[in-house]
Amino acid sequence: MIDATLIGAGCALALSLAVGLVAHEWAHATVLRLAGVDYAISYFPGRPDGIVALVTTHPWAVVVPRPTGHEPAWILRLAALAPAALAVPVFGLGLAGTVSMDTPVVAATAIGWLACALPSPQDFSVAFYADRLLERSRTVNTATGPRAD
């Protein structure tokens, strides 16, 4: 028989991952919005058949920046690495002694949240190659002329 604590920890982990993944993308979007960079958020992009394939093979949410090409590269770099700030509350509460990691449910919640605070490989790609993204945006915007959305 499975212990109720284990079930509670599993549910807490799943819930913190679900909320954390959305918070991860919102962190990107918040920095882009504050910087005045246009972006699009897509929830459950490329939905495959079946719930298992949806959960395991595709992202739950994606933020796609639409820079004009005239923004500084550091803004895109900051937006790409912004989810790392999600770790601050967990470490802050842990260091302050407010939250005890002795409880499996609390530990599972913290682990799930911290997993979502890690920037993805795509995030690192944007951070390292932001200048290329901006150059490509400049080329596309000058080739097509001004956009009227």
Side-chain angles (χ1 to χ4, degrees), residues 26-55:
W26 284 356
H28 294 307
T30 300
V31 173
L32 292 172
R33 177 172 293 251
L34 291 174
V37 177
D38 191 27
Y39 63 91
I41 298 178
S42 176
Y43 294 99
F44 300 110
R47 294 181 185 201
D49 295 331
I51 190 72
V52 173
L54 174 68
V55 172

Side-chain angles (χ1 to χ4, degrees), residues 7-9 12 15 24 61 84 109 121 141 145:
I7 292 172
L15 182 64
H24 177 104
T109 302
N141 287 338

Side-chain angles (χ1 to χ4, degrees), residues 13-97:
L13 178 64
L15 182 64
S16 67
L17 283 172
V19 172
L21 287 173
V22 174
H24 177 104
E25 297 303 325
W26 284 356
H28 294 307
T30 300
V31 173
L32 292 172
R33 177 172 293 251
L34 291 174
V37 177
D38 191 27
Y39 63 91
I41 298 178
S42 176
Y43 294 99
F44 300 110
R47 294 181 185 201
D49 295 331
I51 190 72
V52 173
L54 174 68
V55 172
T56 59
T57 61
H58 289 285
W60 292 14
V62 175
V63 174
V64 179
R66 295 186 198 156
T68 61
H70 302 295
E71 298 87 352
W74 67 268
I75 290 175
L76 293 179
R77 289 184 175 108
L78 183 64
L81 299 176
L86 295 174
V88 171
V90 175
F91 288 128
L93 291 172
L95 291 174

Side-chain angles (χ1 to χ4, degrees), residues 101-119:
M101 293 295 167
D102 295 336
T103 309
V105 172
V106 174
T109 302
I111 290 168
W113 188 261
L114 288 174
C116 295
L118 294 172

